[in-house]
Amino acid sequence: MFLDFFFNLRARGLKVTTHNWLSLLEALAKGLHGDSLDGFYAVARCLLVNTEGDYDVFDQVFAETFRGVAIDAQALLNNLDDWLKNPKKLEFLDPALREALKALDMQTLRRELMDRLKRQKERHEGGSHWIGTGGTSPFGQGGAHPSGIRIGGAGGGRSALIVADERRFQNFRRDLVLDTRQIASALKRLRKLSREDGEPELDLDGTIDATARNCGDIEVVMQPPRNNSVRLLLLLDVGGSMDPHAHLVSRLFSAAHQSGDFKELRTYYFHNCIYSKVYDDASFTDGIKTTELLRTLDRRWYVIIVGDAYMHPGELMMSSSDWWDSQRGPSGLNWLAKLADRFPRAAWLNPEPPRLWPHGTIAEIREVFPMYALTLDGLDEMVKGMRRPGDPRRRARVARLASTG
Amino acid sequence: MKRFTGTSQYIVSEELGRAVDVAVALGRPLLIKGEPGTGKTLLARDIANFFEAPFECWTVKSTTKAVDGLYQYDAVRRLHDSRFGDADVRNIEQYIELGPVGRAFTNAERVVLLIDEIDKADMEFPNDLLHELDTMSFTIAETGREVVAAKRPVVIITSNNEKELPDAFLRRCVFHWIAFPGRELMQRIVRVHHPDIEDNLLASALQAFYRLRSVDGLRKPPSTSELIDWISALRHSGMDPAKLLGSGLPFLGTLLKKEQDIELVGKQVRRGMFGKR
């Protein structure tokens, strides 16, 4: 049962490692759980989970795995106590296993666990879900093993299961909420430090070096401090289908400003798709020509476009957001390709859930920009993606698209 | 081994107590996260008091580097001495000053070492400390001297979630998130700070406090430390507890620190949402 717990946690995406699990066994062997299910819950959680975002999943798995225990806790407990007093009484173990159990010490337990983990990996890759041998495995049954895990009575006060069932930590799930501060800390990781300008500071190594060359007469060397050299261009889609996401986008916007860590940060707005102009504010009065952006900003700029990429296919092909504007020119898709071509470090953040992405205009735009979800995980992915060189195939396609307009 | 239960100055939840036990028994760093004002930093001091161990605190800033905590090599002073001083500059040891981690390692007793707000530093900072915390030893590059911990210190690390910590680092830590205390625990906590508080004042203050916390859209919900300050203010002014639930909230500024929050709550008070039950 306990090994089941481990694999259930892993199956639900928690990054629990063998290392964690062995620490748990070590802690249990030292009796830190105080022989209670509550204690086991607390000890297991602090060793197996390392971010509050995973508390909720942990609670769920804990409740699922040990629910049977809770219902039948007393019966199980009696059984275990009986068995501890007189192993022969336990009907559901065959004699061979009972012998094996008796012989197991902590070292053997560990070896056995490692062995099983290895086997589990093979089977897991085969695609079937491994099911513990429950009552007859030394780990599953470890609760009764003198050197293993012991299930005690329901601890004082609230039972760990009730606590787990409450799912108190639902709010911390990473895939759900984006806080301004969290966005800011995600964006902060975009920084790249370099010495360009700023108030000079003492360069110690340089000073020592120069002093030595100067036969010991102190020669002070100064240098500019290390600063973030990242320049960020933020393009935000507003209005229409973006209205439901306005709150989220405004948070991203304020986070980008708050983090204040960028060498330069420029924000422009657009509606639906980028055409020949982008705007200073959401009322679309003053703006700047897109060609000017392409001309004045160099390739080192990072570009983040936030939008649902969801529009009528015609809009992607039009040359202006204004139906009546008969002026001929590059289509929306073409403008996007020009941007992507000019700025290799560009990404598209989409507040719509990824399941909608394989269709329509979203799919088209994904060909041009790497697309990420506007969630904390998505932002993390984006930051990672922007630090890597772009996909050469996408770059080639984008270059082709950009030159056709 | 003694189980950590907190001292009379600091109330711990059952789960937090266990986490401390596990960290102490396994000799792993304990990583503490939680809302601001839930007593993350105080915990380390209390653990030191509880185990009657010496205490070292390393407050991390945005410019802190990992090596600063181990030791500092004062090259500028040595340079100065080489030109103007009369000290023997060949003896590098005299220009080495141990940092908090170094001092914790060299202490003959088991030290409680607090690394406060580790997320303030550069992203690579925790990774740079991995080896030192794992082996509890480091080498002073300038002299080649190896500093090995005499007794494995109890390491407490706090984080405010400003930066994500690296996985490799997290894996080595015992982790605990200090959840916001529920009403019962909060009562005990308040009594630590106000031992002679009247029951009815405490009850109405808590009721008003939790109602305030449940207001939707607060940017910075008030925390334990704000509650304690607020109660001090209430007692100082001799506020009648019965009035607390009737007429809005006095001394709102001690509870809410953001202008928008005060405005938001002010609106609700005017609409009578804090008036009657």
Side-chain angles (χ1 to χ4, degrees), chain A residues 34-98:
Chain A
D35 289 337
S36 72
L37 195 57
D38 286 8
F40 175 67
Y41 169 83
V43 171
R45 197 181 67 184
C46 73
L47 280 168
L48 301 182
V49 181
N50 53 30
T51 162
E52 70 276 14
D54 290 339
Y55 272 10
D56 185 44
V57 179
F58 180 85
D59 277 1
Q60 283 179 48
V61 176
F62 189 89
E64 266 164 37
T65 315
F66 296 106
R67 181 158 288 128
V69 182
I71 295 165
D72 209 16
Q74 204 48 52
L76 187 74
L77 217 63
N78 292 343
N79 243 340
L80 290 179
D81 279 347
D82 282 355
W83 182 61
L84 279 176
K85 280 177 216 137
N86 183 5
K88 279 181 192 147
K89 260 188 165 179
L90 203 70
E91 324 78 300
F92 57 83
L93 282 181
D94 66 62
L97 256 175
R98 208 182 304 138

Side-chain angles (χ1 to χ4, degrees), chain A residues 302-342:
Chain A
Y302 287 61
V303 177
I304 299 176
I305 306 181
V306 185
D308 56 3
Y310 188 72
M311 60 197 94
H312 188 274
E315 290 177 298
L316 203 51
M317 294 305 155
M318 290 189 317
S319 55
S320 162
S321 55
D322 186 354
W323 273 103
W324 311 109
D325 190 353
S326 57
Q327 206 183 342
R328 287 169 62 93
S331 67
L333 189 62
N334 192 242
W335 277 117
L336 293 179
K338 278 183 195 300
L339 280 167
D341 190 40
R342 173 71 178 164

Side-chain angles (χ1 to χ4, degrees), chain B residues 241-263:
Chain B
K243 270 194 188 156
L244 213 53
L245 299 172
S247 65
L249 296 169
F251 311 117
L252 202 55
T254 47
L255 284 172
L256 298 175
K257 304 293 165 71
K258 297 237 179 202
E259 236 174 88
Q260 297 99 320
D261 288 352
I262 294 182
E263 228 169 82

Side-chain angles (χ1 to χ4, degrees), chain B residues 78-261:
Chain B
R78 186 159 175 239
L79 207 56
H80 175 270
D81 282 357
S82 74
R83 184 71 182 82
F84 310 107
D86 42 10
D88 181 11
V89 291
R90 276 170 302 182
N91 179 11
I92 303 178
E93 195 63 48
Q94 60 181 326
Y95 301 104
I96 301 280
E97 187 154 354
L98 289 178
V101 179
R103 289 197 297 272
F105 282 7
T106 46
N107 201 319
E109 279 183 75
R110 182 173 65 176
V111 178
V112 173
L113 169 66
L114 168 67
I115 304 179
D116 206 11
E117 307 191 335
I118 194 167
D119 53 328
K120 287 268 187 300
D122 195 71
M123 315 231 308
E124 292 307 321
F125 178 86
N127 278 337
D128 294 346
L129 276 178
L130 272 186
H131 179 72
E132 283 73 15
L133 292 181
D134 247 10
T135 60
M136 294 288 176
S137 70
F138 62 90
T139 308
I140 297 175
E142 280 77 6
T143 60
R145 178 158 72 102
E146 198 188 9
V147 178
V148 185
K151 285 247 173 69
R152 242 182 131 80
V154 178
V155 183
I156 312 292
I157 300 169
T158 70
S159 163
N160 277 324
N161 252 350
E162 277 185 35
K163 283 191 198 83
E164 192 102 353
L165 300 171
D167 280 345
F169 181 79
L170 289 174
R171 208 176 51 235
R172 287 169 169 84
C173 292
V174 176
F175 172 76
H176 185 81
W177 162 271
I178 299 191
F180 197 81
R183 214 175 267 221
E184 262 170 63
L185 191 59
M186 186 61 96
Q187 256 178 29
R188 286 172 53 204
I189 294 171
V190 172
R191 280 195 191 283
V192 167
H193 297 269
H194 299 282
D196 49 345
I197 187 171
E198 305 85 359
D199 284 344
N200 52 354
L201 175 64
L202 178 61
S204 9
L206 281 183
Q207 189 171 353
F209 175 75
Y210 278 99
R211 211 189 283 167
L212 181 65
R213 260 185 72 87
S214 66
V215 170
D216 245 1
L218 282 186
R219 300 239 173 155
K220 157 108 187 53
S223 65
T224 313
S225 56
E226 272 113 32
L227 172 68
I228 288 162
D229 290 349
W230 186 53
I231 290 179
S232 304
L234 291 179
R235 298 184 73 195
H236 196 73
S237 69
M239 179 66 62
D240 177 11
K243 270 194 188 156
L244 213 53
L245 299 172
S247 65
L249 296 169
F251 311 117
L252 202 55
T254 47
L255 284 172
L256 298 175
K257 304 293 165 71
K258 297 237 179 202
E259 236 174 88
Q260 297 99 320
D261 288 352

Side-chain angles (χ1 to χ4, degrees), chain A residues 359-392:
Chain A
H359 310 293
T361 49
I362 305 189
E364 291 278 329
I365 288 174
R366 268 177 89 191
E367 302 266 290
V368 178
F369 290 102
M371 193 173 282
Y372 304 95
L374 188 47
T375 60
L376 209 51
D377 282 340
L379 273 172
D380 276 353
E381 284 297 307
M382 181 194 78
V383 170
K384 271 186 211 148
M386 283 180 128
R387 296 179 133 203
R388 280 194 300 264
D391 174 9

Side-chain angles (χ1 to χ4, degrees), chain A residues 24 49 64 102 155 171 202 236 243 246 252 275 288 306 356 368 379:
Chain A
L24 177 61
V49 181
E64 266 164 37
K102 239 186 271 173
N171 289 341
L202 178 70
L236 306 171
D243 279 345
L252 177 73
Y275 301 104
I288 179 172
V306 185
L356 299 176
V368 178
L379 273 172

